Amino acid sequence: MAFDPGKAKGVDGTLRESARAPAGPWLLVAVAVGLAIFGVYSFCEACWRKVETVRA
């Protein structure tokens, strides 16, 4: 398998190519919503998680 560095794309190129696919915009929206939900979950867990210390 050969790799051509001239054809390499970054995240921007990959997202633009995905957006051109037939279901691309909907897929990008689903990914964005999932990331937003994960962010809210992480924020809530950081604020309200109970961590008990163990004393030796």
Side-chain angles (χ1 to χ4, degrees):
M1 178 180 237
F3 179 72
D4 184 10
K7 291 183 180 179
K9 293 179 269 190
V11 175
D12 180 52
T14 303
L15 289 175
R16 287 180 193 271
E17 187 173 329
S18 297
R20 284 189 221 120
W26 291 107
L27 180 63
L28 293 177
V29 167
V31 169
V33 168
L35 285 173
I37 290 171
F38 180 71
V40 169
Y41 165 77
S42 296
F43 176 78
C44 291
E45 184 159 341
C47 286
W48 293 297
R49 184 172 190 178
K50 302 281 188 202
V51 178
E52 297 181 15
T53 58
V54 178
R55 296 183 186 207

